[in-house]
Amino acid sequence: MAWFRRRPRPGGPGGRPVDRADLEHLTQFVRSRRGVEAFIEPQTTVTETTLLLVAHDGEWTRRRIESPEVARRFAHQLAMPVYDVRLLGYPQRMRDYNERQRRRPA
């Protein structure tokens, strides 16, 4: 049935091209923190491919990225280790940071 056909999204297999503001945000995060590692989160039926950056203290940020290949290139350009979150999982320091933030008084 034609009702359920999905139209291809512009920008290729990963959806829309990456917004320059997203790349600038990721770059500033890396440059303003130490020990940052990159984690590629795969595309799902609900979200596009994202790049998660985690600093030494567990502080993190996430932005949409065009594809895993673009994420790897970005990380290598900034001399950052890059991991696939499906293989490695999320770092404990990120979970600890989230817990500290949750317990902080408002």
Side-chain angles (χ1 to χ4, degrees), residues 2-86:
W3 294 343
F4 298 108
R5 285 193 193 136
R6 295 184 72 173
R7 293 183 190 166
R9 293 191 262 180
R16 297 174 292 170
V18 177
D19 186 334
R20 290 233 31 84
D22 288 342
L23 288 178
E24 184 58 33
H25 171 80
L26 294 171
T27 302
Q28 286 306 108
F29 187 87
V30 172
R31 290 184 176 155
S32 63
R33 288 152 182 89
R34 64 184 174 91
V36 178
E37 295 177 322
F39 294 83
I40 300 170
E41 298 175 308
Q43 180 179 356
T44 67
T45 56
V46 180
T47 62
E48 296 180 37
T49 302
T50 54
L51 184 61
L52 173 72
L53 301 181
V54 183
H56 80 284
D57 63 352
E59 183 180 3
W60 60 273
T61 190
R62 170 188 290 125
R63 290 293 186 272
R64 181 180 50 81
I65 196 109
E66 195 169 337
S67 69
E69 295 74 30
V70 170
R72 283 185 194 88
R73 272 198 311 267
F74 177 81
H76 289 298
Q77 286 173 350
L78 294 173
M80 223 182 345
V82 61
Y83 308 104
D84 185 329
V85 81
R86 289 176 297 184

